[in-house]
Amino acid sequence: MSTQKKFDVIGHARRRVDGRAKVTGELRYADDLKLARMLHMKLLRSPHPHALIEAIDVARAQGHPGVQLVLTGKDFPVPFGIMPVAQDEYPLAPERVRYVGDPVAAVVAVDEQTAAEALKLIVVKYQLLPTIATPEEALAQPQARIHDYTDSGNIHRNQSFEFGDVEEALENSDHVFEDVFFFEGNTHMPMEQHASLAAIEGEGKLMLWTSTQDPHYLHRQLARALQMSAAHIRVIACDNGGGFGGKCDPAGHEIVVSKAALLLGRPVKICLTREEVFYLHRGRHPVLMKFRTGVTKDGRLTGMHLQTLLDGGAYGSHGPASTFYTGVLTPLTYELPRFKFEACRMFTNKPACGPKRGHGTPQPRFGQEVQLDKIAEKLKLDPADLRLNMVTKANSLTASWLKIGSNGLAECIRQVVAGSGWKQKHGKLAQGRGVGIACSSYMTGAGVSIYWNKMPHTGVQLTLDRSGQVTVFCGATEVGQGSDDVLAAVVAETLGISTKEVRCVTGDTGITPIDLGSYSSRVTLMMGNAALQAAGRAREMLVTAAAEQLEVLSESIVLSQGRVYAAGDAAKSMSFAEAVVYAETRFGTLATVGSYTPPKPPGKFKAAGVGPSPAYSFSACVVEVEVDEHTGWITVPKIWVAHDIGRALNPTLAHGQVIGGVYMGLGEALMEEQVFRRLPPKLSSALVHKIPSLLEYKSITALDMPEVEVYLIEDPDPNCPFGAKEVGQGPLLPVMPAVANAVFDAVGVRIDEVPVTPEKILRALHLKREGKDARVGPDHFPDVPYVEPTFVIPPAEGGDGSESKMAVRNAAGRPAQRAAS
C-alpha cells in the first residue's frame, strides 16, 4: 500500500467537534505530517487570590507566530468535580478566580516556549475581591463568599454525629481531658509531575494518556465537562511516578488539553511545572482539633467529643469525604463506648485540599495519640500498656457502627515494645533522648462508591491462550504500589503457574473492565477478590477438561508449578498449556470474568456509608529521638513499626510500602508544611505560597532516613484475597504522634501541632525554664456553628444502627428521656 493510501485509511476523517470546522476526505501526505505533529499547551494562571474577571483580551496571543489555539473560560460552560455534591470547579475560570494559580486561559502552540511567550500577551482585567486566608477569617466574614452555592457564608460542609450520650459519659468519668491540636497542611511531593497527552482516534474519538490514579472517575468528568458521550472517550492511566492521592481528582488541565485535541485534530500535550503542581495541590487539609475525652482512673476510655475545623481551600474536591474522615474512623483503634464528632470544612482563597495518604485520618490520629500520652502521664501509666489494655476486639462493632474483622493491633504493640526495648528506655534514657509510641487503624477500601450505585466496585476479565499465556484485564491503576504484581500473583497462584505467564492490561477505560481507582487502599482487596473469582472460574474449566482427558475425578486434579496432574499419580499429568488446549476444545474460547462488591454497611443512619470497609488494618510505632536542647534539632536514629497486614502477598513490596509510609510520615512530623503569606500592599496584598518550590518546601532525604525495623503481623482476614489487607497508608499514621511523644520523653516539652520543628522546641524549652506550661500549640478553638447532631444508639446499648431522637435534657442538664424515631 502506498504512503498516500495508508494515510487515506488512517486519517480520512478529522472533525472539529464544536461545529466551527470540519475536514474530511483525502489529505496530502505533507498535510498529514503537519496534522500529526504534537502540539504543546501552557496555562495562564491568576496572580490574585480572589477576583472577578472583567475582561480577557487574547487577540495578540492568537496572532503570535506558532500559536494554534487559545482557550478561555467561555469555552468550558460546565463545572466538574470528583464528588457529585461538590462539582464547583471549571477547567478554566469563566468569571471568578479563587486562589493564586487558578487557571484562566490556555495557549496551544508548536512548542512550550512559544506557548509561554504567548501567555504574556494575554491581558486580563480583574476586579479584586476580599481575600479569606484562614478558616477563622472565613467564619468571621460570611459576607465575603467564595462560592454562592453554600448554605451559610463560607461553610462548605457542616456535620455532626453522636453515638450515645457523650455528655453523660463525660460527667460520669473519673477524669476528663481537654486538648486542642493543629495539623498543618502539606502536599504529596510525587517525583513525577502531572502530565497529559490528548489525541484523536478514528471517527473523532478522544484518547487521553495521563498521570491519574482514577481513570474511571476522570472518564466520567471528561464526558460531563466536554459534553460528549463517554463511549467516545478513552482514558489510559500511564504508570505513575507517585501519586499519594494527588492524582485522584480529575484535573482541569486534563479537560483543557482534551478539548484542544478535539478542536485541532492533533495531539496536544501539557506538562505541569513543579510550581504548578503546588497550585493544583489537593494535599493534606490543615485541621484544628479539640478533644474532650473521659477516662476511668485505670485509663479506659468512657466517651469522647471531637471537634474539627478544616481549611478546605478554594474548591470542593474530595472535601465532603475529607470532612468525615477527620473523625469517622476514630473509634476503630481503641474501645470507645460513646463518641460525638462535629466537623466543619471552610472555603478559603488557597489551592484546594483533598486526599493525601491516609486521607483525613492522620490529623485526628495525631491529636488522639498525643492526648493518650498525656493521659498516661497524668495517671502514671505506661503509655504502651494504656493502649494495649483497650484495643478494639476482632469481629466487633464500634460505637459508630463500623464492623471490625481481624485485628492484630495487640500483637503490633507487643512487637514494637519488645523490639525497641521500650520498657528499658521510656522515661529512663539520658536527658535529650527519648522514645514515643503511637498506634493507628485504617480502611482496606471504602465500602461505598463516590457516586451512588449498586454496581460492582471492580471487574476483572481473564483470557487463556493456547500457548499457555493468561491475560488479565482490569481498570486498576499502577501508581507504584505494586498492584499489577498483586493482580498477576493472585491469578498465578489460583492457576498454579508462574507470574511470568500472566500478562496484565490495566488502567485503560477503553479495553478494561471498570475499577474505581487507586485510593483508600482498596486495590488489593477489591481487585484481588475479583481476580480470584475470575481465575477460579477459569480453573474450574481447566480441571474439568483435564479430568476428562486423564480419566480421573475432578476432585483429584492439582494445578501447580505449570503442571496439571492427578494427585498421587505422577503418570497422569500434562502441562498447563496442554490443559488450556483441552479446555478450549471442550468449552470453546476460554474467557472468564470476576467482580467485587463490598458488603452492606451495618449502620442504617444517613451518611453511614462513609467509613465502613470490608477490612481494617492496624499499626503500632515506636520512635526514638535525640533532641539538642541548644538548637532544638531533632535526630531520629531508629523507628520500629508493626503493621497488621492480614497476609503479605509479596513481603518485599509490603516492606517497601511500610518504609515508604514511615518516610512520608517522618517528613510530615519534622518539616513538611504548605503555608501561605500575604504580600505587602505595594505588591497587591495577594495571598501566595510561602514555599512553592522544592528549594523551600522541605522534605527529608535518604540521608535523613533512620533505620526502620518492620514487623508484618499476619492474621488473615476472611474478607480479603488470601487474607491480605492494606499496607499502603496505615503505617504512616502513627509516625507523627510517636515523634511528638518521643520529644516529650526526651526533653519534657509538648509540641501539640505538626510539624514538630526546632523553633517550636526552643520556644517550649524557654517556657519550661520560666516555669510556665512547656507547650507549643493552639491555645483556643473558635466558636463554630455546628449543626444539630444525628443521634445513633451504639450497638452495645441496644441500637439497631438507625437514627434516634437524642435524650431530652432537663434544666439541670440531665438526660430525661430517649425515644426511638
Side-chain angles (χ1 to χ4, degrees):
M1 183 183 293
S2 69
T3 302
Q4 178 63 51
K5 288 183 178 179
K6 284 182 182 178
F7 169 71
D8 290 343
V9 173
I10 297 171
H12 72 281
R14 303 277 183 180
R15 294 181 175 84
R16 304 282 176 90
V17 298
D18 63 350
R20 296 179 195 171
K22 183 178 181 181
V23 182
T24 58
E26 294 188 358
L27 297 173
R28 291 176 297 127
Y29 178 62
D31 290 337
D32 177 50
L33 289 179
K34 182 178 178 181
L35 280 170
R37 190 177 302 144
M38 185 171 67
L39 301 172
H40 296 263
M41 174 181 285
K42 297 293 285 184
L43 297 175
L44 179 68
R45 297 179 180 274
S46 168
H48 304 293
H50 199 195
L52 294 176
I53 300 173
E54 294 188 333
I56 300 182
D57 184 353
V58 300
R60 291 177 62 205
Q62 288 174 325
H64 189 65
V67 171
Q68 305 295 304
L69 181 68
V70 179
L71 295 168
T72 63
K74 65 179 176 58
D75 297 299
F76 300 92
V78 179
F80 72 97
I82 190 165
M83 305 201 76
V85 296
Q87 293 175 330
D88 56 7
E89 200 166 354
Y90 290 86
L92 297 174
E95 299 174 350
R96 185 193 300 189
V97 292
R98 294 177 169 88
Y99 68 95
V100 171
D102 216 352
V104 297
V107 171
V108 181
V110 293
D111 54 49
E112 280 191 307
Q113 182 176 344
T114 301
E117 291 169 353
L119 288 182
K120 300 175 183 178
L121 303 177
I122 298 175
V123 179
V124 185
K125 183 179 179 182
Y126 294 100
Q127 178 187 332
L128 300 186
L129 297 172
T131 301
I132 302 297
T134 66
E136 291 84 351
E137 283 186 19
L139 286 168
Q141 302 178 44
Q143 72 284 357
R145 299 183 70 160
I146 296 173
H147 287 280
D148 296 328
Y149 72 85
T150 56
D151 293 332
S152 176
N154 289 301
I155 296 176
H156 176 218
R157 301 292 294 184
N158 191 352
Q159 53 211 34
S160 179
F161 298 87
E162 185 166 8
F163 303 94
D165 193 331
V166 172
E167 285 303 316
E168 181 184 67
L170 295 178
E171 289 170 5
N172 295 329
S173 300
D174 295 325
H175 303 275
V176 175
F177 291 80
E178 184 171 310
D179 292 282
V180 182
F181 302 95
F182 178 65
F183 198 112
E184 183 59 87
N186 49 67
T187 197
H188 312 85
M189 291 288 291
M191 293 180 67
E192 176 199 47
Q193 294 138 229
H194 298 252
S196 302
L197 170 63
I200 307 303
E201 286 187 293
E203 301 301 318
K205 294 182 179 179
L206 172 67
M207 291 185 67
L208 178 67
W209 294 265
T210 188
S211 50
T212 179
Q213 294 177 235
D214 303 342
H216 172 62
Y217 290 128
L218 173 58
H219 185 243
R220 288 174 56 86
Q221 292 307 306
L222 283 169
R224 172 185 168 87
L226 298 174
Q227 297 180 281
M228 61 185 293
S229 169
H232 296 166
I233 300 172
R234 180 181 178 187
V235 177
I236 300 173
C238 303
D239 288 349
N240 279 215
F244 314 114
K247 296 171 183 175
C248 284
D249 275 56
H253 67 269
E254 293 171 311
I255 299 170
V256 178
V257 77
S258 298
K259 177 81 169 182
L262 288 165
L263 294 176
L264 296 171
R266 294 173 63 176
V268 182
K269 180 180 180 180
I270 183 169
C271 296
L272 300 192
T273 65
R274 181 62 66 175
E275 182 177 351
E276 288 181 301
V277 174
F278 276 94
Y279 291 141
L280 185 59
H281 191 40
R282 316 298 151 140
R284 186 89 71 215
H285 283 72
V287 180
L288 185 66
M289 300 160 281
K290 179 180 178 181
F291 286 79
R292 289 178 63 227
T293 304
V295 296
T296 62
K297 57 187 176 183
D298 60 352
R300 292 187 177 275
L301 302 179
T302 59
M304 178 188 291
H305 182 188
L306 169 61
Q307 295 173 300
T308 66
L309 181 63
L310 294 79
D311 185 341
Y315 292 102
S317 180
H318 281 76
S322 306
T323 309
F324 271 103
Y325 287 143
T326 59
V328 71
L329 300 185
T330 302
L332 279 171
T333 314
Y334 309 110
E335 291 183 337
L336 182 60
R338 294 180 179 179
F339 177 56
K340 184 177 182 180
F341 164 47
E342 296 174 304
C344 185
R345 184 181 192 261
M346 306 299 299
F347 282 127
T348 59
N349 292 118
K350 293 183 279 191
C353 298
K356 185 188 175 186
R357 202 172 192 170
H359 191 187
T361 63
Q363 298 96 320
R365 179 53 43 200
F366 173 80
Q368 185 182 15
E369 292 295 324
V370 173
Q371 188 182 59
L372 286 176
D373 211 58
K374 296 181 181 183
I375 292 171
E377 180 203 4
K378 176 74 174 179
L379 302 183
K380 300 186 182 334
L381 298 173
D382 182 289
D385 292 340
L386 175 81
R387 291 166 169 82
L388 187 59
N389 291 335
M390 60 180 182
V391 297
T392 50
K393 303 296 190 293
N395 304 310
S396 64
L397 278 174
T398 69
S400 54
W401 290 90
L402 301 179
K403 182 174 177 53
I404 299 172
S406 64
N407 185 340
L409 180 55
E411 184 60 23
C412 287
I413 295 173
R414 285 190 281 265
Q415 287 287 336
V416 296
V417 165
S420 64
W422 170 269
K423 297 291 184 180
Q424 294 75 44
K425 292 179 178 178
H426 182 252
K428 301 174 183 177
L429 295 175
Q431 180 68 13
R433 296 180 60 204
V435 288
I437 191 170
C439 301
S440 68
S441 52
Y442 197 66
M443 62 179 60
T444 305
V448 177
S449 168
I450 285 177
Y451 65 97
W452 174 250
N453 67 85
K454 296 182 179 181
M455 293 179 285
H457 287 209
T458 190
V460 165
Q461 292 176 334
L462 206 66
T463 63
L464 286 76
D465 184 79
R466 299 172 189 180
S467 66
Q469 175 181 288
V470 178
T471 305
V472 195
F473 298 86
C474 182
T477 309
E478 175 63 72
V479 293
Q481 84 280 39
S483 62
D484 282 3
D485 179 88
V486 169
L487 180 60
V490 169
V491 171
E493 179 71 17
T494 305
L495 298 180
I497 57 177
S498 165
T499 54
K500 293 180 180 180
E501 314 307 322
V502 182
R503 182 187 301 274
C504 296
V505 180
T506 56
D508 185 335
T509 65
I511 59 175
T512 63
I514 285 174
D515 178 86
L516 297 185
S518 292
Y519 65 92
S520 295
S521 286
R522 56 176 297 282
V523 176
T524 291
L525 184 146
M526 299 194 185
M527 174 198 73
N529 276 329
L532 201 59
Q533 185 181 80
R537 289 169 174 169
R539 188 181 189 283
E540 288 178 5
M541 290 192 287
L542 293 171
V543 166
T544 299
E548 290 179 357
Q549 186 65 26
L550 297 175
E551 298 180 338
V552 297
L553 295 175
S554 297
E555 291 77 10
S556 69
I557 293 294
V558 177
L559 281 72
S560 178
Q561 299 182 346
R563 302 292 299 175
V564 180
Y565 57 89
D569 190 347
K572 293 187 174 182
S573 171
M574 65 181 70
S575 69
F576 178 81
E578 289 173 320
V580 171
V581 170
Y582 289 126
E584 184 174 342
T585 304
R586 171 73 163 76
F587 297 104
T589 300
L590 298 180
T592 60
V593 297
S595 60
Y596 178 76
T597 302
K600 187 177 180 180
K604 301 174 185 176
F605 58 94
K606 186 177 181 181
V610 183
S613 175
Y616 297 97
S617 70
F618 297 86
S619 304
C621 176
V622 169
V623 173
E624 185 170 341
V625 301
E626 298 170 357
V627 181
D628 187 324
E629 295 189 62
H630 298 290
T631 64
W633 191 259
I634 306 168
T635 301
V636 181
K638 190 164 182 178
I639 293 177
W640 296 262
V641 59
H643 182 68
D644 165 29
I645 193 172
R647 175 173 287 167
L649 299 184
N650 185 320
T652 301
L653 285 179
H655 273 82
Q657 285 288 300
V658 172
I659 293 173
V662 169
Y663 162 82
M664 184 168 283
L666 191 58
E668 294 190 33
L670 297 178
M671 60 188 70
E672 292 193 38
E673 51 183 346
Q674 174 138 315
V675 291
F676 297 78
R677 62 188 174 92
R678 285 192 185 276
L679 296 177
K682 65 179 181 180
L683 295 177
S684 80
S685 299
L687 182 67
V688 299
H689 278 81
K690 187 177 179 181
I691 41 179
S693 79
L694 296 187
L695 293 175
E696 297 91 359
Y697 187 94
K698 301 305 179 185
S699 180
I700 62 174
T701 69
L703 295 177
D704 304 305
M705 266 299 282
E707 180 185 354
V708 180
E709 187 78 30
V710 176
Y711 307 93
L712 295 179
I713 308 304
E714 295 192 285
D715 179 15
D717 192 294
N719 282 339
C720 304
F722 301 110
K725 299 196 286 190
E726 77 88 29
V727 67
Q729 303 192 61
L732 172 146
L733 305 182
V735 176
M736 294 78 79
V739 168
N741 292 339
V743 167
F744 177 78
D745 189 47
V747 292
V749 301
R750 291 285 181 192
I751 310 300
D752 286 351
E753 62 182 40
V754 168
V756 180
T757 62
E759 294 83 0
K760 294 173 184 176
I761 290 176
L762 289 177
R763 200 184 324 153
L765 287 171
H766 178 72
L767 292 170
K768 182 180 179 181
R769 286 191 292 269
E770 291 187 338
K772 299 178 181 178
D773 185 14
R775 173 189 177 273
V776 170
D779 56 9
H780 76 286
F781 193 89
D783 184 15
V784 180
Y786 291 112
V787 295
E788 284 296 312
T790 296
F791 185 82
V792 182
I793 300 173
E797 298 180 23
D800 65 358
S802 301
E803 180 180 352
S804 301
K805 292 181 180 178
M806 175 58 178
V808 178
R809 290 181 170 265
N810 59 29
R814 300 293 181 184
Q817 64 178 13
R818 176 182 287 125
S821 58

